Amino acid sequence: MTRKIKEIMTPAPVTVPRLASVRDTARWMRDAAIGDVLVVGDDDEVCGLVTDRDLVVRVLAAGKDPDSTRTGDVCSSELVDVGPDDDVAHAVELMRRHALRRLPVLEDGRAVGVVSLGDLATDRDVGAASLGSALADISAAAPDS
């Protein structure tokens, strides 16, 4: 049977308003122990994705002020996304084709989840008799504080 995105995605992703300061976004990432957040407009529709690396490269390394720079100004706005009822194989193909590590899961333009490379690695090892792949083990591990 074909697995669906909703079976492996991380539900209820962290979102930040596009007008939030980069500093506030970085704090949300720190507090949630995550490396990316979805950026939403006034209507709660997803308008971008920003990673911790984006904040370093596009803000800090560029000499921008994290208090006055808006997250919506530095996020990636051309998103590749999937729906919750899409096949997992479709997500794998998109991630491979676009060299992505995560995909927003959208329903009617609103965020319902995120599927990551780690989610896919863990899913592939479900039911395996071995100790699992190194990637799945790393992906399933809790982050250090």
Side-chain angles (χ1 to χ4, degrees), residues 24-93:
D24 286 341
T25 297
R27 287 180 179 145
W28 279 317
M29 288 176 166
R30 178 199 61 202
D31 294 347
I34 56 176
D36 63 277
V37 293
L38 295 172
V39 182
V40 295
D42 297 332
D43 55 4
D44 282 337
E45 286 201 21
V46 175
C47 60
L49 181 139
V50 68
T51 66
D52 47 7
R53 184 177 192 284
D54 292 333
L55 300 183
V56 169
V57 172
R58 297 176 184 170
V59 181
L60 296 178
K64 295 180 180 176
D65 177 12
D67 290 313
S68 63
T69 303
R70 300 292 165 222
T71 301
D73 294 334
V74 297
C75 70
S76 298
S77 59
E78 293 193 24
L79 295 179
V80 176
D81 62 83
V82 293
D85 292 316
D86 288 348
D87 292 342
V88 168
H90 178 62
V92 170
E93 168 58 26

Side-chain angles (χ1 to χ4, degrees), residues 55-138:
L55 300 183
V56 169
V57 172
R58 297 176 184 170
V59 181
L60 296 178
K64 295 180 180 176
D65 177 12
D67 290 313
S68 63
T69 303
R70 300 292 165 222
T71 301
D73 294 334
V74 297
C75 70
S76 298
S77 59
E78 293 193 24
L79 295 179
V80 176
D81 62 83
V82 293
D85 292 316
D86 288 348
D87 292 342
V88 168
H90 178 62
V92 170
E93 168 58 26
L94 288 173
M95 292 171 94
R96 186 176 287 139
R97 184 177 343 135
H98 298 282
L100 299 171
R101 294 183 173 158
R102 62 191 63 82
L103 294 171
V105 182
L106 306 183
E107 197 165 48
D108 299 323
R110 289 180 170 67
V112 295
V114 172
V115 64
S116 70
L117 190 60
D119 295 329
L120 294 172
T122 303
D123 180 62
R124 288 227 165 143
D125 282 346
V126 169
S130 69
L131 294 176
S133 72
L135 182 55
D137 292 344
I138 293 165

